[in-house]
Amino acid sequence: MATRPETAKKILIYWMDGMVLLMGIAFVATIAVAAQMSMIGWVGAAASITCLTVVLVMFSLILRDAFDNRPRPTVKLLVSGVAVVAVLLLPMPRDGSFMTWEVVAYLWLSVVLLHLPFWATALMGTALVTAITVMQTGHGGPWQAVLLIQLSGAVLMPLAMWSWRWLWWTIRDAHDSQAAKSRLAVAEERLRFARDLHDLLGHSLSVITLKSELAAKLATKDAAKAAAEMADVRRLTGESLTEVQLAVDGYRSLDLDEELARARAVLEAAGTRCVVEAGTGELPPAARALLAWVVREGATNVLKHSSASRCSITFADGVLEMRNDGVHGTNISAVNGTPNGAGSGLRGLAERMTAAGGAFSAGPVRDGEFVLRARVPA
């Protein structure tokens, strides 16, 4: 499934393709009408249609090449430029009752801006405006009015194209920033856990290793000292186990309000709008701890397995509900008390809630959303 930035890119490019296609149809129809009215010959009309087709097709191809970055000028850009010159030089209806063909030159200039620096594009645009103004003035009309019209086209079309691509770059950079924030949050949590684990067990395991080696050396020389060293090893092992249990209990003793606030912050940092409506102040501590685990695992599930744009967390009548609109992939695994086929996190939640006398379910619903519900014991 395509990501949201990829979908936005396709929409922007296909929208531009549609506009170019409509422009091409209008050009071809105009040339055909002019040939039918004997304003230009059929050979000249065919040549004009061919050159216009080359310009418009090359425009779409060049746009795709230059949409993600600023490439160096290519053969496509040169071929398109030659076709533009041909369009301007070939016989066209120019009595004012038909559309102006100069828009093709400024369409080409707009993709030149995506390849060349601004100063180079400005020089090329100046040359185009000067040449087209001279040609138009030769067909009659005040040169001041012609120059103003050409300047407007030479400025507005490249500016519109630059803004079009800038919009895509903004969408892409925003998505990359959100993904980086999510990766950073995961890395910080891993670092915190690794640091805590090192502080708890690093020293104790080192001492246990040394005393075990000493006891092994004393076993054949001084059995009493060896037994004393092993007693110390047994004591240190018990203390380390107690410290680990206390640490695990600390991780398990979650605060519901903190988890709700953390879930909203993390989801919104990842680009998912999160609304929390949960009045949980009167819940007993055991129920609050259960729901805190539900919120944590539910938020993790949204981050890892969905592309949700919105998520709501509500609590009413003893039921906490998390609903998001990013159903796909692993996110749609159903869990209903007996979590067959579900991920280990959801399976663990179901087992925890069932053991405490509550109820748990998670899965997609008909309106295309993923809903997680947890009912705490009465």
Side-chain angles (χ1 to χ4, degrees):
M1 180 179 291
T3 62
R4 281 176 286 180
E6 291 172 349
T7 302
K9 179 181 178 180
K10 290 180 180 179
I11 291 174
L12 290 173
I13 290 180
Y14 292 159
W15 182 276
M16 186 63 70
D17 287 344
M19 294 176 61
V20 171
L21 179 61
L22 291 176
M23 185 184 299
I25 293 173
F27 282 152
V28 171
T30 300
I31 295 173
V33 170
Q36 185 70 30
M37 297 173 61
S38 300
M39 299 180 64
I40 59 175
W42 284 105
V43 175
S48 299
I49 290 175
T50 301
C51 292
L52 281 169
T53 302
V54 171
V55 173
L56 299 181
V57 170
M58 285 296 175
F59 172 84
S60 294
L61 297 177
I62 293 170
L63 179 61
R64 282 163 170 76
D65 293 340
F67 213 61
D68 283 310
N69 48 53
R70 183 187 292 274
R72 302 178 66 178
T74 62
V75 176
K76 297 176 186 177
L77 195 63
L78 178 61
V79 171
S80 181
V82 172
V84 167
V85 173
V87 168
L88 296 177
L89 295 179
L90 285 170
M92 291 285 190
R94 304 183 186 277
D95 61 352
S97 59
F98 294 90
M99 66 178 63
T100 57
W101 306 104
E102 292 74 20
V103 67
V104 178
Y106 302 135
L107 189 67
W108 176 75
L109 185 64
S110 67
V111 291
V112 169
L113 179 62
L114 304 184
H115 290 76
L116 301 180
F118 174 78
W119 64 267
T121 306
L123 289 177
M124 195 166 295
T126 301
L128 273 176
V129 169
T130 302
I132 294 173
T133 300
V134 171
M135 293 173 58
Q136 288 284 6
T137 304
H139 290 87
W143 68 269
Q144 296 90 341
V146 174
L147 178 61
L148 180 61
I149 294 174
Q150 302 310 318
L151 281 175
S152 299
V155 172
L156 293 179
M157 291 196 68
L159 180 61
M161 178 56 66
W162 180 87
S163 301
W164 199 261
R165 189 179 65 171
W166 174 84
L167 176 62
W168 155 239
W169 283 10
T170 301
I171 295 173
R172 181 192 61 188
D173 293 344
H175 179 267
D176 291 345
S177 176
Q178 292 168 357
K181 287 181 180 178
S182 298
R183 291 193 298 269
L184 180 61
V186 173
E188 288 179 346
E189 182 65 17
R190 288 176 176 173
L191 180 61
R192 183 175 69 88
F193 183 79
R195 184 174 59 247
D196 291 349
L197 190 62
H198 177 271
D199 292 343
L200 286 172
L201 296 180
H203 176 72
S204 298
L205 291 178
S206 298
V207 175
I208 289 173
T209 300
L210 292 174
K211 285 187 171 293
S212 298
E213 293 175 352
L214 180 59
K217 293 178 181 179
L218 293 174
T220 58
K221 298 179 180 180
D222 192 336
K225 288 186 177 180
E229 294 295 337
M230 290 307 300
D232 285 341
V233 168
R234 184 170 58 252
R235 177 181 57 79
L236 288 171
T237 303
E239 291 177 355
S240 298
L241 180 60
T242 301
E243 289 177 349
V244 171
Q245 290 175 339
L246 290 175
V248 171
D249 289 340
Y251 278 109
R252 288 179 176 176
S253 300
L254 305 180
D255 182 78
L256 179 56
D257 293 334
E258 289 182 1
E259 289 302 319
L260 288 171
R262 184 178 303 163
R264 179 165 55 188
V266 170
L267 290 175
E268 291 187 348
T272 302
R273 182 174 178 270
C274 184
V275 178
V276 178
E277 297 178 357
T280 59
E282 298 182 358
L283 283 173
R288 293 178 63 85
L290 282 173
L291 293 182
W293 275 105
V294 172
V295 172
R296 171 174 286 194
E297 183 59 34
T300 302
N301 201 48
V302 174
L303 289 172
K304 292 174 59 178
H305 304 306
S306 80
S307 57
S309 62
R310 67 179 186 276
C311 177
S312 64
I313 306 175
T314 60
F315 179 80
D317 299 327
V319 178
L320 185 138
E321 180 180 285
M322 297 185 66
R323 181 183 295 265
N324 72 82
D325 63 348
V327 174
H328 74 78
T330 312
N331 185 275
I332 62 174
S333 300
V335 181
N336 291 286
T338 55
N340 296 325
S344 59
L346 296 181
R347 184 184 303 113
L349 279 180
E351 294 171 352
R352 187 189 298 268
M353 295 297 297
T354 302
F360 180 84
S361 66
V365 293
R366 293 183 178 179
D367 57 0
E369 294 183 325
F370 187 88
V371 179
L372 181 152
R373 291 190 181 92
R375 180 183 295 276
V376 295

